[in-house]
Amino acid sequence: ARENMSKTERTSSIEKPFDILRLSLDEIVFVKLRGARELRGRLHAYDQHLNMVLGDVEEILTITETEDETDERVVKIEQRKMELLYVRGDVVILVSVQGRRKRNAA
């Protein structure tokens, strides 16, 4: 079973790009999207188009505005949490594994 594999064994089983997603099912992933959006959540499902279903999601939106009077750039960060989210693959720029789920010792 996967939980009995060492990190080296899991890494060596990555031969194709989607293997990292397959090995990251039910793990926390970071997803960078077009439009200055970032997501962090548990990967429940994905397909060959990089469509994904994430659970326990935190969305971070970075908004950069320029003030008219001072020409100063102002960066605003908005955050929200969602229980479940479908992400369309054509907006995905990057997917990174954030952390392994802690497993109970048997």
Side-chain angles (χ1 to χ4, degrees), residues 5-97:
M5 296 172 81
S6 71
K7 184 177 180 183
T8 304
E9 290 171 317
R10 280 195 302 269
T11 303
S12 66
S13 64
I14 297 175
E15 297 174 4
K16 298 178 182 175
F18 279 106
D19 288 349
I20 195 166
L21 291 177
R22 179 179 50 82
L23 293 171
S24 300
L25 282 171
D26 205 31
E27 305 291 351
I28 302 296
V29 294
F30 171 80
V31 183
K32 186 168 177 74
L33 306 175
R34 288 191 214 163
R37 291 183 185 274
E38 299 173 351
L39 304 172
R40 185 170 284 109
R42 189 166 304 279
L43 180 62
H44 290 296
Y46 69 94
D47 67 12
Q48 72 273 15
H49 303 291
L50 217 51
N51 296 319
M52 291 181 268
V53 176
L54 300 176
D56 301 320
V57 183
E58 177 184 14
E59 178 186 38
I60 302 164
L61 174 60
T62 305
I63 303 165
T64 305
E65 298 175 342
T66 305
E67 288 191 8
D68 293 332
E69 297 172 6
T70 61
D71 257 357
E72 220 176 287
R73 289 180 57 175
V74 177
V75 177
K76 295 180 184 176
I77 296 177
E78 294 181 9
Q79 292 181 288
R80 66 179 176 159
K81 294 187 186 261
M82 293 160 276
E83 190 174 321
L84 204 59
L85 182 68
Y86 171 86
V87 180
R88 188 174 161 137
D90 64 353
V91 298
V92 174
I93 295 172
L94 173 140
V95 179
S96 173
V97 179

